[in-house]
Amino acid sequence: MIKTPILAAAAMAFAGAAFADEMEYMPPVTHAATLEECSACHMAYPAGFLPPQSWKVMMATLDNHFGENAGLDEEMRVEIEKYLVANAGRDRSGDGAAPQRISDLPWFRHEHEEEVSKRQFEKAKSWANCTACHKKAEKGVFEDD
Ligand code: HEC
Ligand code: HEC
């Protein structure tokens, strides 16, 4: 039985490494309508950063989207939701919650804590402004740069 905790720790370390690799690159939005409609106010965030239920809630509440009206006609709304849900990430919390901000997710906080200088943040103004710090974000690249 003494082996169990060691194996569990090794498995966790491995999962951590795989997760970090996965985070350096997140496939960018390639769907034309999503690129067009969801990059007017900020970059078109990669679908893989939020679980499917997050996109469903977001696409149902576009008329009050972080204080803005990002409403779309129904045909376009449905098309974009389909794309985002089909390309969504895993539900990492596993509790079915539908977080609306990538920048509030536990992994996000973990990756950014103590990595960003005050000056860098003041320039970016918001965590939602990925491209201020990740110059290649629109190509899906989030590794050190
Ligand atoms: C009219 C402007 C506007 C449009 C169009 C728009 N958004 Fe946003 N979005 C915002 C604002 C404002 C915020 C909050 C930004 C901040 O906190 O700095 C935001 C934030 C977000 C966030 C959370 C970012 C974070 O903090 O992790 C996501 C995800 C998002 N938008 C997705 C979308 C999607 C998907 C679409 C297309 C259907 C879209 N947005 C279209 C204005 C817009
Ligand atoms: C104020 C600057 C800043 C903003 C804004 C910012 N980041 Fe980061 N991000 C960093 C720094 C610094 C790191 C840690 C060093 C590195 O890996 O680039 C990091 C790390 C990451 C990582 C881990 C990369 C890896 O190598 O594993 C991801 C993924 C990431 N950011 C995504 C985002 C997303 C998505 C947004 C927008 C919703 C965002 N970041 C906004 C500065 C920022």
Side-chain angles (χ1 to χ4, degrees):
M1 287 325 284
I2 204 154
K3 264 190 185 154
T4 309
I6 297 167
L7 283 176
M12 276 172 71
F14 178 74
F19 182 60
D21 282 352
E22 179 188 329
M23 299 312 288
E24 288 171 12
Y25 176 78
M26 184 57 86
V29 172
T30 49
H31 183 244
T34 307
L35 258 182
E36 171 86 20
E37 301 295 341
C38 302
S39 68
C41 307
H42 47 66
M43 76 171 284
Y45 300 114
F49 278 137
L50 287 174
Q53 65 273 19
S54 292
W55 295 122
K56 286 184 191 159
V57 170
M58 190 174 295
M59 295 306 291
T61 55
L62 283 178
D63 54 338
N64 185 6
H65 176 78
F66 302 90
E68 303 266 344
N69 185 347
L72 295 169
D73 70 60
E74 185 58 10
E75 197 181 333
M76 187 64 89
R77 192 195 69 75
V78 169
E79 187 186 332
I80 291 175
E81 177 175 326
K82 238 162 101 184
Y83 165 78
L84 291 170
V85 167
N87 293 278
R90 283 185 286 125
D91 179 5
R92 294 183 194 282
S93 70
D95 62 5
Q100 296 295 288
R101 280 191 183 273
I102 301 158
S103 59
D104 272 346
L105 299 176
W107 71 258
F108 186 98
R109 290 171 173 264
H110 176 77
E111 291 284 353
H112 291 86
E113 241 162 49
E114 290 167 24
E115 290 285 352
V116 175
S117 70
K118 205 172 153 222
R119 206 169 144 259
Q120 201 181 7
F121 184 78
E122 276 165 4
K123 259 174 86 182
K125 294 190 177 73
S126 166
W127 287 118
N129 191 7
C130 320
T131 47
C133 303
H134 299 285
K135 300 296 176 212
K136 289 175 277 183
E138 275 156 355
K139 293 195 164 70
V141 178
F142 293 92
E143 69 191 345
D144 269 79
D145 52 12

